Amino acid sequence: LSPIVELNVGGEMYTTTLSTLKKHPGSKLAEMFTGQPKLRTDSEGRFFIDRPGTYFKYILEYLRSNQMPTQCIQDVYKEALFYNIEPLIKQLEDSPQIFGELVARKQFLAHVPSYSENIELMIRIARAEAVASRRSSVIVCVVRTEEDAAKCQDALNSLDMDKKSVVKFGPWKAAPSIFDLLDCIQMDVEAKGYKISFQPHAAEKGFRFKSHDYFYKFLFTWW
């Protein structure tokens, strides 16, 4: 291989040196240019990598000068994982953005049973109710303790609604509160491209428990 390498990364063109690409021998990026070329070339003879080209410049800046990115942290982290550049991965994981997501939020959500499945269930229910409507709503029951779970079930039996359409989150054994979990639900649904808000769901009068302690209405706005 020539010591000067021209790359086409997802349609973005880059020129760098072979030594830069092979700076970390154990990385997937270095393996791409070790021995016989393992990449296809485009019509101009440039090596083609089918990844987002926008963020590759941050990868190159790190390889050239150990400069850490100050923007697009989440996206650069995904690319660092793909190229398996371990020193960059470790430094990014120490950044507030990645540390907060991986160590704090994701660890908390790991304590919430069936969290990801419930997010998908909420979306399916909302989409099923969206026919000829501007908005659709999903009722969510959030319980932090086993005791709350029992009360929630009692409350659910008293509510005048289809119980199968109520999505239940919890209980969990971790410090974050119910409102922390509600924020996580909104954040993760919005990350999938939906416009969503939530509010306490008040049941009819004469209800044994304060339903808004457990039940929340998530509103999906479609247009």
Side-chain angles (χ1 to χ4, degrees):
L1 287 175
S2 167
I4 306 299
V5 180
E6 292 189 347
L7 301 172
N8 177 346
V9 185
E12 298 281 343
M13 310 308 166
Y14 294 95
T15 302
T16 185
T17 65
L18 187 61
S19 59
T20 295
L21 297 171
K22 297 172 65 174
K23 184 174 181 179
H24 297 286
S27 69
K28 182 176 180 179
L29 184 62
E31 291 177 358
M32 291 177 180
F33 297 93
T34 299
Q36 291 297 318
K38 302 173 179 64
L39 297 170
R40 291 175 292 176
T41 56
D42 65 12
S43 59
E44 300 296 325
R46 294 173 291 234
F47 289 109
F48 179 73
I49 302 176
D50 194 12
R51 296 293 295 180
T54 304
Y55 311 115
F56 191 72
K57 64 181 179 181
Y58 301 109
I59 301 293
L60 274 185
E61 286 175 1
Y62 177 78
L63 294 174
R64 288 166 173 162
S65 59
N66 291 324
Q67 181 178 338
M68 288 291 295
T70 58
Q71 53 187 333
C72 306
I73 302 297
Q74 297 278 0
D75 295 303
V76 177
Y77 179 66
K78 292 177 185 177
E79 297 310 296
L81 289 173
F82 173 79
Y83 295 113
N84 192 28
I85 303 172
E86 290 190 3
L88 177 56
I89 292 171
K90 290 178 180 178
Q91 290 184 59
L92 286 171
E93 287 178 348
D94 284 336
S95 69
Q97 297 93 325
I98 304 299
F99 178 87
E101 177 69 13
L102 294 180
V103 178
R105 201 176 83 93
K106 290 294 187 185
Q107 288 298 315
F108 158 52
L109 295 178
H111 288 79
V112 181
S114 304
Y115 177 80
S116 297
E117 293 84 350
N118 283 338
I119 293 292
E120 295 301 326
L121 178 57
M122 285 180 62
I123 292 172
R124 287 200 301 273
I125 293 172
R127 290 176 70 94
E129 295 182 358
V131 179
S133 300
R134 183 172 186 179
R135 297 180 180 87
S136 55
S137 62
V138 178
I139 304 301
V140 168
C141 175
V142 183
V143 292
R144 186 173 177 182
T145 67
E146 294 290 350
E147 180 182 359
D148 288 342
K151 291 180 179 179
C152 176
Q153 187 59 47
D154 191 6
L156 187 59
N157 291 334
S158 302
L159 286 176
D160 183 21
M161 65 174 65
D162 181 4
K163 298 173 181 57
K164 292 182 180 180
S165 67
V166 179
V167 182
K168 177 174 170 284
F169 287 84
W172 65 87
K173 294 181 179 179
S177 68
I178 285 176
F179 285 101
D180 292 325
L181 180 63
L182 292 169
D183 285 339
C184 287
I185 294 171
Q186 181 173 8
M187 185 185 307
D188 289 329
V189 173
E190 287 180 340
K192 295 178 180 292
Y194 297 91
K195 185 177 180 181
I196 188 174
S197 60
F198 68 87
Q199 63 189 38
H201 176 66
E204 55 277 358
K205 295 180 180 179
F207 192 59
R208 253 181 83 183
F209 302 101
K210 293 181 180 179
S211 62
H212 58 261
D213 288 343
Y214 308 106
F215 293 93
Y216 297 85
K217 179 186 290 186
F218 278 81
L219 193 65
F220 288 72
T221 301
W222 301 104
W223 51 273

